[in-house]
Amino acid sequence: MANQQTMKPLATLLLGLNFCMYVIVLGIGGWAMNRAIDHGFVIGAGLELPAHFSPIQFPMGNAATGFFVTFALIAAVVGVGSVISGINHIRSWTSESLPSAASVATIAWTLTLLAMGFACKEIELNIRNARLKTMEAFLIILSATQLFYIAAIHGAASLRR
């Protein structure tokens, strides 16, 4: 049976992996959001919005892209926050630091699942570019690795009792 000291390196590895992937999702999502703002619509001479204006319509991708990018950015920001809390927990590795690390990690995981759901819808609708495909893949992988991280820190806590 694994002891708590074998869970700490596993949690550290998953934390580092999640951090790198969340930063990549932030980079690609930031690019997509910037492109949507720059090329999404043109305001007329009278400063009126176009007739069919939608703030989540992206010039690349399909109808799910706006929702996907928006929720992926939110999930990635909260995911990076969970990494910061996780680093604090890994450094101290006590039961006092576990609740904050676990709660932020769980919130990041649920937001990642939400973004992954929009990624699945975007995959179903087919029209998207390589960067969006990369972000979809990262969010699908992150939904699993974030869950494994949560299980690793909880597993170590249950072994301490």
Side-chain angles (χ1 to χ4, degrees):
M1 183 158 196
N3 62 17
Q4 67 180 2
Q5 290 306 319
T6 60
M7 295 301 241
K8 188 174 181 179
L10 176 64
T12 304
L13 175 73
L14 289 169
L15 200 61
L17 177 67
N18 288 351
F19 176 73
C20 293
M21 292 180 72
Y22 276 128
V23 167
I24 292 170
V25 168
L26 277 173
I28 297 171
W31 165 82
M33 189 65 73
N34 184 48
R35 184 161 165 98
I37 290 170
D38 287 345
H39 304 291
F41 63 93
V42 177
I43 297 177
L47 297 177
E48 296 178 10
L49 292 173
H52 300 288
F53 170 72
S54 173
I56 56 168
Q57 179 62 37
F58 279 55
M60 75 297 241
N62 52 44
T65 302
F67 295 105
F68 169 61
V69 170
T70 302
F71 284 102
L73 283 170
I74 293 169
V77 168
V78 176
V80 169
S82 78
V83 168
I84 293 169
S85 179
I87 289 170
N88 183 42
H89 175 60
I90 296 284
R91 285 179 48 218
S92 63
W93 203 250
T94 63
S95 59
E96 289 82 23
S97 63
L98 176 65
S100 63
S103 62
V104 177
T106 304
I107 292 169
W109 177 63
T110 56
L111 289 170
T112 302
L113 285 179
L114 181 62
M116 185 198 71
F118 285 118
C120 292
K121 184 62 177 177
E122 189 174 51
I123 290 168
E124 180 185 332
L125 295 177
N126 283 332
I127 306 168
R128 59 207 195 279
N129 64 20
R131 291 180 184 161
L132 293 175
K133 288 179 183 179
T134 302
M135 196 162 68
E136 292 163 1
F138 276 27
L139 281 167
I140 291 169
I141 294 167
L142 274 166
S143 66
T145 59
Q146 187 73 13
L147 179 63
F148 294 151
Y149 167 70
I150 294 168
I153 61 176
H154 275 89
S158 66
L159 293 172
R160 280 183 237 165
R161 294 179 186 168

